[in-house]
Amino acid sequence: MTLLDTRKAEVLAKLDVLVKKAHALWPKAASMTFTVRFDLRGAAAGTASVRGGVYTLRFNTDMMQNSGWQHLLEDTVPHELAHLLGYHLGYGANHGKAWRSICISLGGSGKRCHNETVTYAKGATFEYTTAT
């Protein structure tokens, strides 16, 4: 199992714990389902979106493999889940008072942005040799 695979599993496990906590705090949250993708690139640690009734969380794989990992796990995961919960519970998905309260209730800092350095993972380099 690669480092990225291990960290993906940790994000999913963290989400499982947070979803159970959300169900206890807000019973209406039990009807919310969402997908998780690990395909985000760039400066954002994570994103939450609702499109066509489909709730999606996306996480930055570059940060998951570098110095931003601990921040992503401990703060970005509850931050993004709070967006989906805010929308689902009827409070909206922006960074308002309701979102901040939900985020903090889930163990996040309630901060809007991160200040982590994003180190982009480099793709694999292959060296080919031939007999000529």
Side-chain angles (χ1 to χ4, degrees):
M1 185 179 272
T2 68
L3 174 65
L4 184 57
D5 290 334
T6 300
R7 291 189 171 170
K8 285 178 183 180
E10 288 182 57
V11 167
L12 294 174
K14 176 84 172 189
L15 281 167
D16 188 51
V17 169
L18 294 179
V19 165
K20 287 176 182 163
K21 186 173 188 175
H23 291 174
L25 292 170
W26 307 283
K28 185 180 175 188
S31 64
M32 184 182 83
T33 60
F34 58 92
T35 60
V36 179
R37 292 173 34 192
F38 297 98
D39 60 354
L40 188 61
R41 303 296 294 236
T47 63
S49 64
V50 181
R51 291 192 181 103
V54 177
Y55 291 49
T56 304
L57 296 177
R58 295 175 64 204
F59 295 101
N60 187 317
T61 55
D62 290 324
M63 286 186 74
M64 290 174 67
Q65 297 176 82
N66 293 299
S67 64
W69 162 241
Q70 206 58 42
H71 172 81
L72 187 142
L73 183 66
E74 298 301 323
D75 199 50
T76 303
V77 173
H79 174 119
E80 300 306 337
L81 184 59
H83 283 300
L84 296 187
L85 285 164
Y87 183 83
H88 186 73
L89 297 172
Y91 301 119
N94 61 10
H95 290 107
K97 288 180 186 179
W99 166 84
R100 188 172 191 278
S101 176
I102 293 168
C103 183
I104 291 170
S105 295
L106 294 175
S109 69
K111 292 182 181 176
R112 185 178 174 271
C113 299
H114 73 83
N115 58 2
E116 299 293 317
T117 301
V118 180
T119 305
Y120 298 101
K122 299 202 187 285
T125 301
F126 300 94
E127 183 175 316
Y128 293 96
T129 58
T130 65
T132 55

